[in-house]
Amino acid sequence: MKPKLTTMRGDRDGAHLLVIAGVHGDECEPMVAARRLLRRLRFMRLRGQVTVIPILNEDARRRKERTGGDGLDLARTFPGRADGSLTEQVAFTATQHIGNADCLIDMHTGGNRYRIWPLAGYMVHPNSEILECQREMARAFNLPVVWGSDPALEGRTLSAARDANVPAIYVEYLGAAPFCRHAVRVLTNGCLQTMASLEMIDWPLPANQVRYWAEDARSGAGHLQACHPAPFAGTFEAAVELGENVEQGQMLGRFSGIVGERMVEIVAEQSGRIVCLAAPVRVEPGDGLVVIVEFENA
Ligand SMILES: [Zn+2]
């Protein structure tokens, strides 16, 4: 299954930006924002070219779930395989598109199962020129949080971009909520602002909204699903909010079995601000419940 894409070419030279949405099938706002971006660009003079893939994982979108029918998380399957399962084939195709681009934006939300503080993230790339470009793209997207993380993480659009030396950011915007039109606006504008910073369009840059910035290249940093794992199958009831400052040892919420049995308190393993919270839906043993990040300017 080849994902549908649209390429728009400008009449002047410039960068080739790839915008991807719908890596996960339960994240609708980025898909709508990607289409809206194309409509907005029709009325702008473009330098270079932009390729937009509004729904990379069509199988997962049909199921309205994070993964497709083969159960593989596309965001852990890169670079994929040409002769693999459907998800592996999609990853393989997307890897080729990433390799053909000069830079990448990959848009997400927390889907059905997570709420994530609006953030732009990138890998702390060993090449300083690429790292600086990623920092600038993440800043220009203009969400409250910027987070540079472990460059050794595998399986992602960002790891495919890292291997191809293509500057790349991913963005996250809330989730576990009804469809959010505000998210669509913010994500669309974020792409336009990033394109302006890449000198692909003329677009007035708004005031800088970035409030918190962290760069952490330690192993595992940026792996949203690995922190504070669920001890067994059950549901999490958070006692903290996104963005809240917590201390190590603080109670983050209560976790209980599917029918309320075996309640345990989940306690902060570190101090910092809450970046990601599991929604109060069933989670499996080992699924991450809370992500805490220490910010330099928190
Ligand atoms: Zn996602």
Side-chain angles (χ1 to χ4, degrees), residues 84-238:
S85 72
L86 187 52
T87 303
E88 288 174 314
Q89 289 179 38
V90 171
F92 182 82
T93 304
T95 298
Q96 317 306 305
H97 289 303
I98 290 169
N100 291 333
D102 296 323
C103 37
L104 167 71
I105 300 173
D106 179 10
M107 295 194 286
H108 293 254
T109 72
N112 296 330
R113 294 167 54 203
Y114 289 98
R115 283 192 298 135
I116 306 176
W117 207 15
L119 67 88
Y122 54 89
M123 287 182 168
V124 182
H125 201 287
N127 178 314
S128 60
E129 214 170 296
I130 293 170
L131 178 59
E132 199 46 53
C133 181
Q134 294 182 150
R135 285 177 179 142
E136 178 51 29
M137 289 172 70
R139 196 211 57 73
F141 206 98
N142 216 16
L143 296 172
V145 177
V146 172
W147 187 18
S149 56
D150 180 8
L153 292 173
E154 297 293 347
R156 293 144 163 89
T157 55
L158 258 57
S159 51
R162 173 203 62 207
D163 294 345
N165 284 325
V166 172
I169 62 168
Y170 74 101
V171 296
E172 299 276 3
Y173 199 96
L174 302 177
F179 184 82
C180 176
R181 286 185 193 287
H182 182 67
V184 173
R185 261 197 308 279
V186 170
L187 293 171
T188 309
N189 286 339
C191 288
L192 291 170
Q193 287 151 202
T194 306
M195 291 180 71
S197 82
L198 294 164
E199 299 180 344
M200 298 176 69
I201 54 170
D202 295 320
W203 179 259
L205 287 181
N208 188 352
Q209 303 288 328
V210 177
R211 290 170 58 210
Y212 300 100
W213 197 306
E215 240 177 48
D216 184 356
R218 281 177 301 178
S219 174
H223 189 335
L224 291 173
Q225 281 81 33
C227 302
H228 300 92
F232 42 86
T235 57
F236 179 61
E237 190 192 331

Side-chain angles (χ1 to χ4, degrees), residues 24 27 66 108-109:
H24 296 124
E27 302 172 7
R66 185 174 173 86
H108 293 254
T109 72

Side-chain angles (χ1 to χ4, degrees), residues 7-75:
T7 296
M8 295 175 75
R9 288 184 181 80
D11 55 3
R12 296 166 291 172
D13 287 344
H16 179 191
L17 171 69
L18 174 63
V19 178
I20 290 177
V23 164
H24 296 124
D26 58 348
E27 302 172 7
C28 300
E29 291 88 347
M31 304 178 199
V32 178
R35 291 207 180 94
R36 181 182 281 201
L37 173 66
L38 285 168
R39 287 198 299 277
R40 297 281 289 277
L41 287 172
R42 261 189 238 145
F43 303 101
M44 293 184 194
R45 194 162 176 214
L46 180 66
R47 296 181 201 92
Q49 58 176 308
V50 57
T51 299
V52 178
I53 306 178
I55 304 170
L56 184 60
N57 195 344
E58 179 59 37
D59 187 31
R61 190 204 59 87
R62 269 196 217 128
R63 291 157 48 93
K64 298 189 175 72
E65 288 183 11
R66 185 174 173 86
T67 65
D70 60 11
L72 293 178
D73 183 343
L74 177 54

